[in-house]
Amino acid sequence: MRFGPRAGPSRLDPRVVLLLCFISSAACNTFAFTEEPSDRAVKADSYCSRILRAQSNRKEVNNEFRLRVEGDPESYQPGSTYRVSLTASSPSYFRGFTLIATREGAEGDRDEDYAGNFQIIDEEETQFMTNCPPAVTESTPRRRTSIQVFWTAPPSGTGCVLLKASIVQKRIIYFQDEGALTKRMCEKDSTDRPLLDCCACGTAKYRVTFYGNWSEKIHPKDYPRRANHWSALIGASHSKNYVLWEYGGTASEGVKQVAELGSPVKMEEEIRQKGDDVLTVIKMKAQWPAWQPLNVRAAPSAEFSVDRTRHLMSFLTMMGPSPDWNVGLSAEDLCTKECGWAQKVVQDLIPWDAGTDGGVSYESPNKPTLPQDKIRPLTSLDHPQSPFYDPEGGAITPVARVMVERIARKGEQCNIVPDNVDDIVADIAQEEKEEDDTPETCIYSNWSPWSACSSATCEKGKRMRQRMLKAQLDLSVPCPHTQDFEPCMGPGCSDEDASTCMMSEWITWSPCSASCGTGTRSRERYVKQFPDDGSVCTLPTEETENCVVNEDCLPSSCLVTEWAEWDVCSATCGLGMKRRERMVKMPPADGSICGAEVLEVEKCMMPECHTIPCLLTPWSEWSDCSVTCGKGLRTRQRILKSPAELGECTEELEQVEKCMLPECPIDCSLSEWTEWSECNKSCGKGHTIRTRIVKLEPQFGGDPCSQTVQRKKCKVRRCTRGQGNSEEKRRRKEQREKQRGKQGRAEGATEHPGCRMRPWSSWTECTKLCGGGIQERLMSIKQKFKTVQLSSCKDRKEIRACNVHPC
């Protein structure tokens, strides 16, 4: 990179400064205080605008580095916060960077040119630039492969925004206005398409079925094995004037109670208060545990109705345990633009956050969010402790699937073409079926398919289904019936139209007409029964659509056949795998290797594996603690009631837990005695001592500590008698008594036969701070009488124990 001439001997070229800043933010900050002011240094030539001009002066495409906004959105929601990352692909790295966000087309010389606000995530990695506060740079120059910051989008009306990065790798600076280091985002259209008025006629009845797909196998991280469940599902069919919940909205008290507690009571109360805006309240039982029903009959379901004014359907259910995570649908429109009723809606569901609790994992403690956040979907980059965290920012694997199927229509229809034979059933007025109250002691097979209608003419009849009683675990509890009946209409008959055709299902699509590129394919169906009034069937019996085979028809591409049918699922029940293959019809014309996939493998779901529930007695009372004092264990048991021939039960039959009784007494513990000290007298009678320390103080009523200091008499040798008459003894006695009466002195001078002694010195410091030490003091000779030669006239030393407390 070339630089222009300097402005003067005392002023650095701005581009030199900019290079220094990109190489090291410390150099940049230093220069901020040393750069000489200039008369032309006005706001129009701000440091931020110099960064932008430097970027626009050089474009260098380098795909080693990438600026990414979480989720790769094309637009931003005003006021929303996004995670922005700057990454280097292996083995590249960068030492420094600058990140800035501006309005599209802005020069950077005004405050309003900068869009939104950055937030620092890791202060050790990132900081705001001293000379350009809207920009983010490195905290310290070092090798790194990624950084992350938050960016809050600007308010509505800002328009398009450019997020731009500059990279410093060694001493090379990459400025980039286009490509991987620039992200352009425009404001999301705030005028969302309003829900259209429904033009369908009559009413329709639907069945909503909920399939849980949340399991330890599919979502293994921190999966809550013992407490996983789906709460009771609550929802409604309603008008566009009522919103149960929506992304970007705020959770009502009812939504909050479902989200945090799994309680639908308040939500149902809120729904019922909406009066004519609600047609049907939708409810399902809670699922403990959160099992995965893989066939339609086993999955929980509920039925509801819709009409022209109440054609939207919403529901939610809590994912438990969790802070405030749910799944559900919001305002799903079942009215089609062709003025009919949708036949089937299938949606995979990922969890969403109600914005009322700030926990980050399944079993985080309660952490209320005040004020409440907006309802939003969870993402894989929310928090490293999240069970859905993915450092690559991939999509969250769905935790559930919901299927909404139309089961009947009633009243005059605007589009009279029936979609299948079930639409002809007109008895839609009956209330929803009562909840299944089958006792758990009755084990049944699944229901058989419904039989044909008992009426062969255009009259109402009945149809039947059956199930088999496989086991009755408690003979005292009666088991309900094994047959079920419901009303039906004769084949090809409708209350509104006696000229209805009954059509077969569509037959499989034909092969594509083209072996390379775009072609067509078709499928057929036939008339199963003509109208009773002799009219002609006008329904189409053939459909045609476009198909694409070998989309890339270049010389380097190969021609392949269409995919064969899927193989049989590898599992007979539960989750398995299936595969399908295709063949290479013609290798590439240029002789290269065919890169087309010839094998596909995917998961397949078979009916759930049938297991017999364990019938167990309640837990017994806890046993006595295994010890009489201190820490021990206690147990409790329960007994398996269901017969062994029904299958192995894996539930635990015994539990063990710790118990604590009053602490056991602890006796005092002492060390061994030290050696006896030297005698404290050099002649005559004296004493010697020995000590020991307390290693453990007595606790909880244990035996107390015995003595830690012992002394005994010692006699070295007899002292020589000097002027030992009674007068001398009396004088010495009076002197000793006089010395004891003096305060503030260790001991007065002591006379000995033949010498005069100085007073005792102060005690020396203890040889140990704890654990038993020794102190000494000395008495030295002050005057020795020449007239008497006494061997007892010597310096004296005393020893005593100190700091005997344990360490």
Side-chain angles (χ1 to χ4, degrees), residues 13-28:
D13 189 283
R15 286 173 292 179
V16 176
V17 178
L18 183 60
L19 175 60
L20 292 173
C21 290
F22 279 122
I23 295 174
S24 170
S25 60
C28 174

mmCIF file with all atom_site columns, all heavy atoms in Angstrom, residues 13-28:
data_model
loop_
_atom_site.group_PDB
_atom_site.id
_atom_site.type_symbol
_atom_site.label_atom_id
_atom_site.label_alt_id
_atom_site.label_comp_id
_atom_site.label_asym_id
_atom_site.label_entity_id
_atom_site.label_seq_id
_atom_site.pdbx_PDB_ins_code
_atom_site.Cartn_x
_atom_site.Cartn_y
_atom_site.Cartn_z
_atom_site.occupancy
_atom_site.B_iso_or_equiv
_atom_site.pdbx_formal_charge
_atom_site.auth_seq_id
_atom_site.auth_comp_id
_atom_site.auth_asym_id
_atom_site.auth_atom_id
_atom_site.pdbx_PDB_model_num
ATOM 1   N N   . ASP A 1 13 ? 0.837  11.681 7.889  1.00 0.00 ? 13 ASP A N   1
ATOM 2   C CA  . ASP A 1 13 ? -0.223 11.490 6.908  1.00 0.00 ? 13 ASP A CA  1
ATOM 3   C C   . ASP A 1 13 ? -1.364 10.694 7.525  1.00 0.00 ? 13 ASP A C   1
ATOM 4   O O   . ASP A 1 13 ? -1.135 9.698  8.223  1.00 0.00 ? 13 ASP A O   1
ATOM 5   C CB  . ASP A 1 13 ? 0.337  10.732 5.698  1.00 0.00 ? 13 ASP A CB  1
ATOM 6   C CG  . ASP A 1 13 ? -0.672 10.695 4.571  1.00 0.00 ? 13 ASP A CG  1
ATOM 7   O OD1 . ASP A 1 13 ? -1.613 9.883  4.692  1.00 0.00 ? 13 ASP A OD1 1
ATOM 8   O OD2 . ASP A 1 13 ? -0.510 11.459 3.610  1.00 0.00 ? 13 ASP A OD2 1
ATOM 9   N N   . PRO A 1 14 ? -2.635 11.083 7.311  1.00 0.00 ? 14 PRO A N   1
ATOM 10  C CA  . PRO A 1 14 ? -3.770 10.354 7.918  1.00 0.00 ? 14 PRO A CA  1
ATOM 11  C C   . PRO A 1 14 ? -3.790 8.890  7.566  1.00 0.00 ? 14 PRO A C   1
ATOM 12  O O   . PRO A 1 14 ? -4.198 8.057  8.363  1.00 0.00 ? 14 PRO A O   1
ATOM 13  C CB  . PRO A 1 14 ? -5.005 11.091 7.361  1.00 0.00 ? 14 PRO A CB  1
ATOM 14  C CG  . PRO A 1 14 ? -4.486 12.448 6.972  1.00 0.00 ? 14 PRO A CG  1
ATOM 15  C CD  . PRO A 1 14 ? -3.079 12.269 6.565  1.00 0.00 ? 14 PRO A CD  1
ATOM 16  N N   . ARG A 1 15 ? -3.329 8.533  6.368  1.00 0.00 ? 15 ARG A N   1
ATOM 17  C CA  . ARG A 1 15 ? -3.372 7.125  6.000  1.00 0.00 ? 15 ARG A CA  1
ATOM 18  C C   . ARG A 1 15 ? -2.335 6.320  6.772  1.00 0.00 ? 15 ARG A C   1
ATOM 19  O O   . ARG A 1 15 ? -2.545 5.132  7.068  1.00 0.00 ? 15 ARG A O   1
ATOM 20  C CB  . ARG A 1 15 ? -3.161 6.985  4.496  1.00 0.00 ? 15 ARG A CB  1
ATOM 21  C CG  . ARG A 1 15 ? -4.391 7.410  3.698  1.00 0.00 ? 15 ARG A CG  1
ATOM 22  C CD  . ARG A 1 15 ? -4.126 7.436  2.210  1.00 0.00 ? 15 ARG A CD  1
ATOM 23  N NE  . ARG A 1 15 ? -3.191 8.509  1.858  1.00 0.00 ? 15 ARG A NE  1
ATOM 24  C CZ  . ARG A 1 15 ? -2.778 8.730  0.616  1.00 0.00 ? 15 ARG A CZ  1
ATOM 25  N NH1 . ARG A 1 15 ? -3.192 7.960  -0.383 1.00 0.00 ? 15 ARG A NH1 1
ATOM 26  N NH2 . ARG A 1 15 ? -1.936 9.708  0.348  1.00 0.00 ? 15 ARG A NH2 1
ATOM 27  N N   . VAL A 1 16 ? -1.192 6.964  7.129  1.00 0.00 ? 16 VAL A N   1
ATOM 28  C CA  . VAL A 1 16 ? -0.208 6.295  7.977  1.00 0.00 ? 16 VAL A CA  1
ATOM 29  C C   . VAL A 1 16 ? -0.818 6.029  9.345  1.00 0.00 ? 16 VAL A C   1
ATOM 30  O O   . VAL A 1 16 ? -0.678 4.953  9.925  1.00 0.00 ? 16 VAL A O   1
ATOM 31  C CB  . VAL A 1 16 ? 1.068  7.144  8.106  1.00 0.00 ? 16 VAL A CB  1
ATOM 32  C CG1 . VAL A 1 16 ? 2.045  6.488  9.063  1.00 0.00 ? 16 VAL A CG1 1
ATOM 33  C CG2 . VAL A 1 16 ? 1.704  7.358  6.733  1.00 0.00 ? 16 VAL A CG2 1
ATOM 34  N N   . VAL A 1 17 ? -1.488 7.065  9.869  1.00 0.00 ? 17 VAL A N   1
ATOM 35  C CA  . VAL A 1 17 ? -2.156 6.894  11.166 1.00 0.00 ? 17 VAL A CA  1
ATOM 36  C C   . VAL A 1 17 ? -3.171 5.769  11.092 1.00 0.00 ? 17 VAL A C   1
ATOM 37  O O   . VAL A 1 17 ? -3.286 4.930  11.987 1.00 0.00 ? 17 VAL A O   1
ATOM 38  C CB  . VAL A 1 17 ? -2.847 8.212  11.584 1.00 0.00 ? 17 VAL A CB  1
ATOM 39  C CG1 . VAL A 1 17 ? -3.580 8.003  12.895 1.00 0.00 ? 17 VAL A CG1 1
ATOM 40  C CG2 . VAL A 1 17 ? -1.820 9.313  11.701 1.00 0.00 ? 17 VAL A CG2 1
ATOM 41  N N   . LEU A 1 18 ? -3.926 5.740  10.030 1.00 0.00 ? 18 LEU A N   1
ATOM 42  C CA  . LEU A 1 18 ? -4.958 4.713  9.887  1.00 0.00 ? 18 LEU A CA  1
ATOM 43  C C   . LEU A 1 18 ? -4.345 3.320  9.870  1.00 0.00 ? 18 LEU A C   1
ATOM 44  O O   . LEU A 1 18 ? -4.841 2.388  10.494 1.00 0.00 ? 18 LEU A O   1
ATOM 45  C CB  . LEU A 1 18 ? -5.745 4.958  8.602  1.00 0.00 ? 18 LEU A CB  1
ATOM 46  C CG  . LEU A 1 18 ? -6.920 4.008  8.343  1.00 0.00 ? 18 LEU A CG  1
ATOM 47  C CD1 . LEU A 1 18 ? -7.908 4.130  9.492  1.00 0.00 ? 18 LEU A CD1 1
ATOM 48  C CD2 . LEU A 1 18 ? -7.587 4.349  7.028  1.00 0.00 ? 18 LEU A CD2 1
ATOM 49  N N   . LEU A 1 19 ? -3.194 3.163  9.166  1.00 0.00 ? 19 LEU A N   1
ATOM 50  C CA  . LEU A 1 19 ? -2.512 1.879  9.139  1.00 0.00 ? 19 LEU A CA  1
ATOM 51  C C   . LEU A 1 19 ? -2.066 1.477  10.539 1.00 0.00 ? 19 LEU A C   1
ATOM 52  O O   . LEU A 1 19 ? -2.247 0.343  10.972 1.00 0.00 ? 19 LEU A O   1
ATOM 53  C CB  . LEU A 1 19 ? -1.310 1.955  8.192  1.00 0.00 ? 19 LEU A CB  1
ATOM 54  C CG  . LEU A 1 19 ? -0.418 0.699  8.138  1.00 0.00 ? 19 LEU A CG  1
ATOM 55  C CD1 . LEU A 1 19 ? -1.247 -0.489 7.672  1.00 0.00 ? 19 LEU A CD1 1
ATOM 56  C CD2 . LEU A 1 19 ? 0.772  0.919  7.229  1.00 0.00 ? 19 LEU A CD2 1
ATOM 57  N N   . LEU A 1 20 ? -1.476 2.454  11.272 1.00 0.00 ? 20 LEU A N   1
ATOM 58  C CA  . LEU A 1 20 ? -1.054 2.160  12.635 1.00 0.00 ? 20 LEU A CA  1
ATOM 59  C C   . LEU A 1 20 ? -2.225 1.719  13.487 1.00 0.00 ? 20 LEU A C   1
ATOM 60  O O   . LEU A 1 20 ? -2.130 0.824  14.310 1.00 0.00 ? 20 LEU A O   1
ATOM 61  C CB  . LEU A 1 20 ? -0.383 3.392  13.252 1.00 0.00 ? 20 LEU A CB  1
ATOM 62  C CG  . LEU A 1 20 ? 0.977  3.800  12.657 1.00 0.00 ? 20 LEU A CG  1
ATOM 63  C CD1 . LEU A 1 20 ? 1.420  5.114  13.262 1.00 0.00 ? 20 LEU A CD1 1
ATOM 64  C CD2 . LEU A 1 20 ? 2.010  2.715  12.881 1.00 0.00 ? 20 LEU A CD2 1
ATOM 65  N N   . CYS A 1 21 ? -3.362 2.371  13.293 1.00 0.00 ? 21 CYS A N   1
ATOM 66  C CA  . CYS A 1 21 ? -4.528 2.045  14.099 1.00 0.00 ? 21 CYS A CA  1
ATOM 67  C C   . CYS A 1 21 ? -5.035 0.645  13.799 1.00 0.00 ? 21 CYS A C   1
ATOM 68  O O   . CYS A 1 21 ? -5.490 -0.062 14.684 1.00 0.00 ? 21 CYS A O   1
ATOM 69  C CB  . CYS A 1 21 ? -5.646 3.058  13.877 1.00 0.00 ? 21 CYS A CB  1
ATOM 70  S SG  . CYS A 1 21 ? -5.253 4.669  14.575 1.00 0.00 ? 21 CYS A SG  1
ATOM 71  N N   . PHE A 1 22 ? -4.995 0.267  12.534 1.00 0.00 ? 22 PHE A N   1
ATOM 72  C CA  . PHE A 1 22 ? -5.466 -1.078 12.209 1.00 0.00 ? 22 PHE A CA  1
ATOM 73  C C   . PHE A 1 22 ? -4.514 -2.132 12.731 1.00 0.00 ? 22 PHE A C   1
ATOM 74  O O   . PHE A 1 22 ? -4.919 -3.219 13.099 1.00 0.00 ? 22 PHE A O   1
ATOM 75  C CB  . PHE A 1 22 ? -5.637 -1.235 10.697 1.00 0.00 ? 22 PHE A CB  1
ATOM 76  C CG  . PHE A 1 22 ? -6.908 -0.663 10.203 1.00 0.00 ? 22 PHE A CG  1
ATOM 77  C CD1 . PHE A 1 22 ? -6.953 0.319  9.248  1.00 0.00 ? 22 PHE A CD1 1
ATOM 78  C CD2 . PHE A 1 22 ? -8.112 -1.124 10.727 1.00 0.00 ? 22 PHE A CD2 1
ATOM 79  C CE1 . PHE A 1 22 ? -8.148 0.841  8.805  1.00 0.00 ? 22 PHE A CE1 1
ATOM 80  C CE2 . PHE A 1 22 ? -9.316 -0.611 10.282 1.00 0.00 ? 22 PHE A CE2 1
ATOM 81  C CZ  . PHE A 1 22 ? -9.337 0.376  9.326  1.00 0.00 ? 22 PHE A CZ  1
ATOM 82  N N   . ILE A 1 23 ? -3.221 -1.825 12.747 1.00 0.00 ? 23 ILE A N   1
ATOM 83  C CA  . ILE A 1 23 ? -2.249 -2.795 13.250 1.00 0.00 ? 23 ILE A CA  1
ATOM 84  C C   . ILE A 1 23 ? -2.330 -2.878 14.760 1.00 0.00 ? 23 ILE A C   1
ATOM 85  O O   . ILE A 1 23 ? -2.214 -3.932 15.352 1.00 0.00 ? 23 ILE A O   1
ATOM 86  C CB  . ILE A 1 23 ? -0.825 -2.405 12.793 1.00 0.00 ? 23 ILE A CB  1
ATOM 87  C CG1 . ILE A 1 23 ? -0.733 -2.505 11.264 1.00 0.00 ? 23 ILE A CG1 1
ATOM 88  C CG2 . ILE A 1 23 ? 0.217  -3.287 13.453 1.00 0.00 ? 23 ILE A CG2 1
ATOM 89  C CD1 . ILE A 1 23 ? 0.579  -2.017 10.697 1.00 0.00 ? 23 ILE A CD1 1
ATOM 90  N N   . SER A 1 24 ? -2.569 -1.784 15.430 1.00 0.00 ? 24 SER A N   1
ATOM 91  C CA  . SER A 1 24 ? -2.617 -1.782 16.892 1.00 0.00 ? 24 SER A CA  1
ATOM 92  C C   . SER A 1 24 ? -3.516 -0.660 17.358 1.00 0.00 ? 24 SER A C   1
ATOM 93  O O   . SER A 1 24 ? -3.279 0.497  17.058 1.00 0.00 ? 24 SER A O   1
ATOM 94  C CB  . SER A 1 24 ? -1.213 -1.612 17.465 1.00 0.00 ? 24 SER A CB  1
ATOM 95  O OG  . SER A 1 24 ? -1.270 -1.377 18.854 1.00 0.00 ? 24 SER A OG  1
ATOM 96  N N   . SER A 1 25 ? -4.548 -1.022 18.109 1.00 0.00 ? 25 SER A N   1
ATOM 97  C CA  . SER A 1 25 ? -5.418 0.008  18.659 1.00 0.00 ? 25 SER A CA  1
ATOM 98  C C   . SER A 1 25 ? -4.672 0.871  19.658 1.00 0.00 ? 25 SER A C   1
ATOM 99  O O   . SER A 1 25 ? -4.994 2.029  19.853 1.00 0.00 ? 25 SER A O   1
ATOM 100 C CB  . SER A 1 25 ? -6.631 -0.637 19.334 1.00 0.00 ? 25 SER A CB  1
ATOM 101 O OG  . SER A 1 25 ? -6.209 -1.486 20.374 1.00 0.00 ? 25 SER A OG  1
ATOM 102 N N   . ALA A 1 26 ? -3.622 0.303  20.305 1.00 0.00 ? 26 ALA A N   1
ATOM 103 C CA  . ALA A 1 26 ? -2.835 1.099  21.252 1.00 0.00 ? 26 ALA A CA  1
ATOM 104 C C   . ALA A 1 26 ? -2.131 2.229  20.530 1.00 0.00 ? 26 ALA A C   1
ATOM 105 O O   . ALA A 1 26 ? -2.083 3.367  20.995 1.00 0.00 ? 26 ALA A O   1
ATOM 106 C CB  . ALA A 1 26 ? -1.824 0.205  21.956 1.00 0.00 ? 26 ALA A CB  1
ATOM 107 N N   . ALA A 1 27 ? -1.594 1.935  19.336 1.00 0.00 ? 27 ALA A N   1
ATOM 108 C CA  . ALA A 1 27 ? -0.943 2.993  18.559 1.00 0.00 ? 27 ALA A CA  1
ATOM 109 C C   . ALA A 1 27 ? -1.932 4.061  18.168 1.00 0.00 ? 27 ALA A C   1
ATOM 110 O O   . ALA A 1 27 ? -1.640 5.253  18.176 1.00 0.00 ? 27 ALA A O   1
ATOM 111 C CB  . ALA A 1 27 ? -0.272 2.400  17.315 1.00 0.00 ? 27 ALA A CB  1
ATOM 112 N N   . CYS A 1 28 ? -3.130 3.621  17.830 1.00 0.00 ? 28 CYS A N   1
ATOM 113 C CA  . CYS A 1 28 ? -4.189 4.563  17.454 1.00 0.00 ? 28 CYS A CA  1
ATOM 114 C C   . CYS A 1 28 ? -4.527 5.477  18.620 1.00 0.00 ? 28 CYS A C   1
ATOM 115 O O   . CYS A 1 28 ? -4.618 6.686  18.477 1.00 0.00 ? 28 CYS A O   1
ATOM 116 C CB  . CYS A 1 28 ? -5.422 3.784  17.000 1.00 0.00 ? 28 CYS A CB  1
ATOM 117 S SG  . CYS A 1 28 ? -6.837 4.833  16.676 1.00 0.00 ? 28 CYS A SG  1
#
